[in-house]
Amino acid sequence: MIDLAIEDDIARVVLNAPEKRNSLDLGALQELAAAYTEAEAAGVRALLLTGEGSVFCAGRDISAVDPATDDAEGYLTGTLLPLMQQMSSFPAPTFAAVQGACLGVGLGLTIATDVVYVAQDAKIGSPFAALGAILDSGGHALFTERLGAHRTLDLIYTGEMMSGTEAVTAGLFSRAVPAEELLPFTEERVAKAARGATQSFVASKRLVAQVRDERAGLWDSIASESAVQAALTATADYREGFKAFQEKRKPTFTGRD
């Protein structure tokens, strides 16, 4: 489901499973890591990450997950965290064009990307209120740093979404543009970066990453989220949330273990 094309010193990585809203299972994360490895080996000077269809990424693919045996920590810490670190340290400028929903793991992919442009009507947030799980993929660090504690917990408790415009105004991403202009807008800037002084860009990228990790503790936060997510898999609400999602019904939570 991950497509890679390399042309003119630019790698284009596409999440290509629009029939399931580009949600990512373990195999897809491994494919994505392999695509970044191949792009790095090719020596590209810029990378563009996109999602095919009307949605960038709806998060983790849990359609076939059994909540009774779910290894959430293995998925998050064993595969997602190394992938995000690989994406974040990619030795060239990276860009993402985000349309539609950007949730959960999809949000994590944007956290690990240098520059993120979003459609004005994109949907950003934490859908985990309906799953009996927690916001993961670095969302706690990003939201708390940019939005503050009150707004972060408001989004988590309510499950409400921010538009792309609201997310940019709050400082989550770089720019919001009309949906129909998003891809050409992003491609133009990717091409410009690919013609630029790549080594100086990478030097700045490393300095920004150093400051960011010192302020937000991003990688430590993801590891902590993963441990909490693993503990929640033992709760009745977690199992109910997953089953309700798979059965396309509203969950009935008890709020107890």
Side-chain angles (χ1 to χ4, degrees):
M1 69 163 288
I2 307 299
D3 293 339
L4 171 66
I6 297 176
E7 185 177 0
D8 296 330
D9 286 328
I10 296 171
R12 184 177 183 130
V13 180
V14 183
L15 312 180
N16 191 8
E19 71 284 356
K20 58 178 184 178
R21 305 179 73 202
N22 295 325
S23 57
L24 302 169
D25 60 14
L26 188 61
L29 292 185
Q30 293 168 341
E31 286 184 40
L32 191 54
Y36 274 72
T37 297
E38 184 176 345
E40 180 174 350
V44 300
R45 296 173 63 191
L47 181 148
L48 170 60
L49 176 66
T50 67
E52 186 66 29
S54 61
V55 168
F56 174 70
C57 178
R60 181 185 180 192
D61 181 4
I62 64 170
S63 58
V65 172
D66 181 352
T69 59
D70 181 27
D71 183 11
E73 189 166 15
Y75 175 88
L76 294 169
T77 305
T79 304
L80 179 63
L81 177 54
L83 169 62
M84 289 180 63
Q85 291 172 320
Q86 176 188 6
M87 293 172 62
S88 183
S89 62
F90 190 82
T94 61
F95 295 77
V98 173
Q99 80 285 4
C102 177
L103 311 172
V105 175
L107 180 63
L109 300 185
T110 66
I111 292 172
T113 301
D114 298 341
V115 178
V116 180
Y117 300 132
V118 297
Q120 292 172 343
D121 59 356
K123 298 297 180 186
I124 318 297
S126 169
F128 294 90
L131 288 176
I134 63 163
L135 174 64
D136 57 32
S137 310
H140 284 89
L142 177 70
F143 280 15
T144 304
E145 180 191 23
R146 308 289 174 82
L147 307 178
H150 294 293
R151 182 62 172 144
T152 296
L153 291 174
D154 179 15
L155 290 169
I156 289 171
Y157 292 168
T158 64
E160 293 175 353
M161 299 290 114
M162 291 182 289
S163 70
T165 299
E166 290 170 333
V168 168
T169 299
L172 288 178
F173 302 125
S174 181
R175 304 188 205 187
V177 299
E180 65 275 11
E181 299 175 15
L182 176 64
L183 196 54
F185 179 92
T186 307
E187 288 174 333
E188 178 184 349
R189 282 149 183 80
V190 173
K192 182 177 180 180
R195 297 190 299 268
T198 306
Q199 293 307 308
S200 67
F201 291 161
V202 172
S204 289
K205 175 174 178 166
R206 289 171 179 159
L207 290 169
V208 169
Q210 181 180 347
V211 173
R212 179 186 192 182
D213 195 45
E214 287 174 352
R215 289 176 57 190
L218 179 61
W219 308 129
D220 290 340
S221 176
I222 294 174
S224 297
E225 288 170 344
S226 302
V228 173
Q229 201 77 282
L232 286 172
T233 63
T235 66
D237 281 348
Y238 187 93
R239 293 190 293 273
E240 166 63 10
F242 267 58
K243 289 179 181 176
F245 178 86
Q246 291 165 342
E247 296 168 2
K248 295 180 171 42
R249 61 175 174 82
K250 289 186 177 180
T252 301
F253 294 129
T254 66
R256 296 178 174 83
D257 292 341

